[in-house]
Amino acid sequence: MTFAALILAFAGWAGVCFSMSRHYRQLFDREPPVRRARLLRLSGWTLIGLSLLCAVDALGWRVGSVEWIGLVSVSGASFAFLLPYWPRHLMTPSRMARGSRPGGTGLLRRRSS
Amino acid sequence: MKGSLTQSMAWLHTWGGLVFGWLLFAVFFTGTLSVFPIAITAWMQPELHEVRHASHGETVALAVRTLEDNARQASQWTIRMPNEERPLLTVGWRTRDPDGSTVQRQLDPATGAAMHPRRTLGGGFFVRFHFSLLMGRTGQWLVGAAVMMMLVAIVSGVIIHKKIFKDFFTFRPAAPGHRAWLDAHTLAGVFMLPFHVMISYTGLVIFVFTFMPAGIQMLFDGDRQAYARELRAELGGEPTRLRRPAAGMPAPMVPLGDLIERIEAEWGLPITSVTVDHPGDLHATVRLAHFSRSTEQVFGTEQAITLDGATGTVLQPTDGPQYLGAQGVRQTSFTLHTARLGGIGMKWLYFLMSAASCVVIGTGLVMWTIKRRGRMKTPADLLGYRIVERLNVASVAGLIVASAAFFWANRLIPAGLADRAALEIRVVMTVWALCVVHALMRRHAAHAWREQLGAGAALGLALPLVNAWTGGAGLPTSVAEGRWDVAGVDLTAVAAALLLAWTAWRVARPAPAPTGTEAPDLVAEPADTPRSTLPA
């Protein structure tokens, strides 16, 4: 059950991260539309909130809340550390469908550095 | 350190972090390993890798039989049942000699054979080093000072981090100069902020009587026990254990096995520890206890009952310790600090977060040198720079090598040697000292980094082989038989070794900026405003 909380928090951080224009640009090479950014941020924090419920459900409030703080930290840091190494074409299904274009399928860090 | 708040905080963060960084890295690195001291000790006693669990009833019968056969004349018996932390059944007795010497036997619960695992501090070595540097009170004060500096660094770090939200996810490993290191430093620092505050603060609270001895010194003349007694009496918490003097008249006892069985049936819980005062006496007193800690509890609870050994009547039904008020705060701090709550998942989270703290401290130390590379004008400055650079290598990579050497020493020093536990520690200190010498002797710090990280990787990578070849349960065996404590050490060693190898490879790669101490720095910026030149 706490593994589910970890996954939820990880996904939540992804949402929060890509709601920021700097990281949205890493994916799509353009500014995020305002509504999409808001949606990403909202769903990101919602998922992180759900992971708290998940942890509390598994371990109770006293221990669950402590574990939640830990797994939010670990999932967030591991997401951010892995982000530059993530193959870019895996993160954007639409790009995969369109087929690659020059410079489009490299690792994220090529763009971000 | 003139100027704005940010500038003075940056100065404090930089220099305080440098002075205490070496010590802090050692404290956090050994602290990371201290999350799993029991598994490390288990790994380090290969004599016990074959020990299997027996059923609870058989183990109780074995304990009772051993005591009745060997210690009829004893003044006290003790039994500690095996649990996931200790695979062996421990029985002990106190003889009726005037000096009351005690005998303790560790038995294989399945076969009853007396086991003599090799003497080693095991995981306790890392725990002791973590809080006292193996230097007693002096070491505790040193660690305490470093941890105070950690709290200062946390607060000053937050103040000087200008774009904490904007840079929340920013990590550019390929960026030139110190920026990649800075990204890693702030990223791990910010995400682990709750952990850093919690672990530093609780670490100080645990040793509150060391760091703030005035109260007990003045009111109890420094007698901590007297303080504890009065506290108990005032709070009405833990009841004192019932003690009866021996009657001096022999009397047949109700069979101990029957008593245990009766109480277990009443409670529906297994008895985990037994104490019998004056076995075979009219006033034989039997105390049975069940200790448990579920994953949802913050404290473990002990349920105990005291019975008359001759008649089997209940003398004192007792409850476990109660933690009230400030005592509860301290106990909670201890539980939080040592990851004694939740299950194995929590322990791994602590391990990862603590490892991330090592990353924060290590990258901080490295950054100090990278930002000053090639900017030392006078020979004295350059010498100081080089010493810092080399001490960084020895305190980070060198400690990792020395810790890996501890595991090797544990297996290569003969098991029967008398003072082998001390010898193991001497190996660690010798290897660490050699790492300091090596770091100082190499022409380029980058070479020292690469070689020591590489050595650490090699030692870690080969550890499962050493384990299998020197009598331990090798990976295939330990995984197949579910000995995850032993397998966990092997697998963690390999994972850590791969990370070290990757780091060594990164260090060895031609860097975007020229390496070497005399090379000019590509990033020219004032040293005390570390975040001023980052792109928005």
Side-chain angles (χ1 to χ4, degrees):
Chain A
M1 202 56 185
T2 48
F3 189 70
L6 187 74
I7 299 297
L8 280 174
F10 193 89
W13 282 121
V16 174
C17 175
F18 290 123
S19 74
M20 297 163 79
S21 63
R22 176 189 289 175
H23 300 291
Y24 190 89
R25 281 200 309 264
Q26 285 180 301
L27 277 185
F28 299 105
D29 295 324
R30 59 185 161 92
E31 292 292 316
V34 177
R35 283 186 60 189
R36 185 180 288 186
R38 201 180 296 151
L39 185 69
L40 278 168
R41 192 174 319 119
L42 187 71
S43 50
W45 287 117
T46 308
L47 287 174
I48 292 173
L50 281 177
S51 78
L52 172 63
L53 292 184
C54 220
V56 166
D57 182 52
L59 294 164
W61 276 104
R62 281 184 295 183
V63 176
S65 52
V66 174
E67 179 146 316
W68 177 73
I69 293 172
L71 57 87
V72 161
S73 296
V74 167
S75 59
S78 51
F79 174 80
F81 272 115
L82 289 174
L83 186 57
Y85 299 101
W86 213 260
R88 189 173 151 122
H89 61 275
L90 285 183
M91 298 181 84
T92 50
S94 60
R95 189 186 295 277
M96 220 156 51
R98 278 206 309 272
S100 62
R101 54 180 186 139
T105 55
L107 297 179
L108 268 174
R109 71 179 140 150
R110 287 203 193 144
R111 289 273 161 159
S112 55
S113 59
Chain B
M1 55 176 295
K2 283 173 282 179
S4 69
L5 173 74
T6 317
Q7 275 171 331
S8 53
M9 284 296 131
W11 182 90
L12 183 63
H13 192 83
T14 304
W15 292 98
L18 178 71
V19 172
F20 285 100
W22 297 310
L23 184 53
L24 274 176
F25 185 85
V27 170
F28 273 84
F29 182 76
T30 51
T32 306
L33 295 172
S34 298
V35 176
F36 295 111
I38 293 148
I40 292 175
T41 306
W43 188 94
M44 290 193 161
Q45 295 188 322
E47 295 82 4
L48 307 185
H49 288 186
E50 299 297 318
V51 169
R52 298 284 164 269
H53 286 291
S55 77
H56 183 75
E58 286 170 38
T59 313
V60 169
L62 170 68
V64 172
R65 202 166 59 237
T66 309
L67 287 168
E68 285 175 351
D69 290 353
N70 296 289
R72 282 234 170 255
Q73 297 303 313
S75 66
Q76 188 184 49
W77 289 350
T78 53
I79 302 172
R80 282 196 301 157
M81 294 294 287
N83 55 28
E84 69 255 8
E85 299 184 354
R86 289 176 293 114
L88 295 183
L89 165 69
T90 311
V91 293
W93 57 89
R94 188 189 301 272
T95 59
R96 284 214 183 138
D97 309 340
D99 61 340
S101 61
T102 54
V103 180
Q104 217 171 55
R105 280 201 193 160
Q106 298 200 295
L107 307 176
D108 184 325
T111 65
M115 303 297 282
H116 303 283
R118 64 184 62 195
R119 288 179 180 281
T120 176
L121 271 186
F125 165 70
F126 295 111
V127 179
R128 281 197 213 175
F129 192 96
H130 170 64
F131 70 77
S132 73
L133 311 172
L134 305 176
M135 284 161 63
R137 223 11 99 75
T138 320
Q140 283 180 24
W141 276 98
L142 281 172
V143 173
V147 172
M148 277 308 291
M149 185 58 226
M150 181 77 185
L151 285 170
V152 169
I154 292 167
V155 175
S156 58
V158 170
I159 292 173
I160 63 179
H161 194 341
K162 289 212 183 85
K163 295 187 291 270
I164 211 162
F165 294 110
K166 210 160 182 179
D167 283 343
F168 213 68
F169 298 96
T170 303
F171 178 45
R172 294 155 296 186
H178 72 277
R179 280 187 200 164
W181 296 104
L182 177 61
D183 282 347
H185 183 74
T186 53
L187 193 69
V190 168
F191 273 105
M192 302 299 158
L193 199 59
F195 176 76
H196 286 142
V197 173
M198 179 279 285
I199 211 78
S200 310
Y201 181 71
T202 54
L204 290 174
V205 168
I206 290 172
F207 290 101
V208 63
F209 296 123
T210 304
F211 300 137
M212 301 174 81
I216 290 178
Q217 211 51 266
M218 279 178 63
L219 297 172
F220 297 94
D221 288 331
D223 183 355
R224 216 183 269 186
Q225 306 247 301
Y227 159 75
R229 270 197 303 278
E230 184 160 329
L231 189 72
R232 262 204 301 275
E234 208 154 290
L235 295 175
E238 201 178 345
T240 46
R241 190 181 285 195
L242 181 76
R243 296 269 188 218
R244 292 198 300 183
M249 288 202 301
M253 258 179 79
V254 181
L256 189 53
D258 293 356
L259 284 178
I260 294 172
E261 210 168 295
R262 195 184 97 202
I263 299 303
E264 282 180 341
E266 245 171 62
W267 287 354
L269 296 165
I271 297 298
T272 53
S273 74
V274 178
T275 312
V276 183
D277 291 333
H278 325 300
D281 186 88
L282 186 64
H283 279 175
T285 313
V286 180
R287 184 176 183 274
L288 305 177
H290 166 83
F291 181 85
S292 69
R293 196 183 58 75
S294 78
T295 51
E296 290 189 30
Q297 282 173 309
V298 177
F299 306 131
T301 48
E302 191 186 60
Q303 186 174 340
I305 190 166
T306 309
L307 304 160
D308 188 300
T311 62
T313 52
V314 176
L315 293 173
Q316 188 189 41
T318 64
D319 293 313
Q322 305 242 319
Y323 299 107
L324 299 162
Q327 216 187 358
V329 172
R330 185 156 168 261
Q331 186 60 33
T332 306
S333 301
F334 182 76
T335 310
L336 266 178
H337 190 89
T338 51
R340 269 161 222 242
L341 70 174
I344 187 76
M346 185 79 94
K347 285 202 159 52
W348 277 107
L349 284 177
Y350 268 70
F351 184 85
L352 291 172
M353 288 192 279
S354 191
S357 312
C358 296
V359 170
V360 174
I361 299 163
T363 51
L365 287 169
V366 169
M367 254 192 312
W368 190 97
T369 58
I370 292 181
K371 283 168 65 180
R372 283 160 187 77
R373 181 184 288 159
R375 304 236 304 282
M376 297 296 157
K377 303 280 182 284
T378 65
D381 279 357
L382 190 62
L383 180 71
Y385 175 86
R386 285 199 167 161
I387 289 175
V388 169
E389 199 179 30
R390 306 312 161 93
L391 284 181
N392 281 354
V393 180
S395 65
V396 176
L399 176 62
I400 295 172
V401 175
S403 301
F406 181 55
F407 287 81
W408 280 65
N410 170 262
R411 291 308 180 79
L412 298 185
I413 296 170
L417 221 59
D419 55 348
R420 65 183 309 289
L423 203 58
E424 283 177 5
I425 294 166
R426 214 168 302 148
V427 168
V428 176
M429 296 308 161
T430 311
V431 170
W432 204 1
L434 287 176
C435 285
V436 176
V437 173
H438 169 262
L440 289 171
M441 278 172 57
R442 291 299 279 151
R443 198 178 153 77
H444 292 293
H447 293 168
W449 273 114
R450 190 176 57 204
E451 285 154 12
Q452 293 198 12
L453 289 172
L459 289 175
L461 215 51
L463 203 61
L465 300 176
V466 175
N467 177 26
W469 282 335
T470 53
L475 261 181
T477 319
S478 56
V479 169
E481 296 187 351
R483 284 298 302 261
W484 287 107
D485 46 355
V486 179
V489 172
D490 277 349
L491 292 171
T492 308
V494 170
L498 291 175
L499 257 177
L500 288 177
W502 180 77
T503 315
W505 173 74
R506 280 294 310 250
V507 172
R509 240 175 18 171
T515 52
T517 48
E518 287 84 15
D521 194 345
L522 287 185
V523 198
E525 62 175 275
D528 286 347
T529 49
R531 279 139 194 98
S532 58
T533 58
L534 284 185

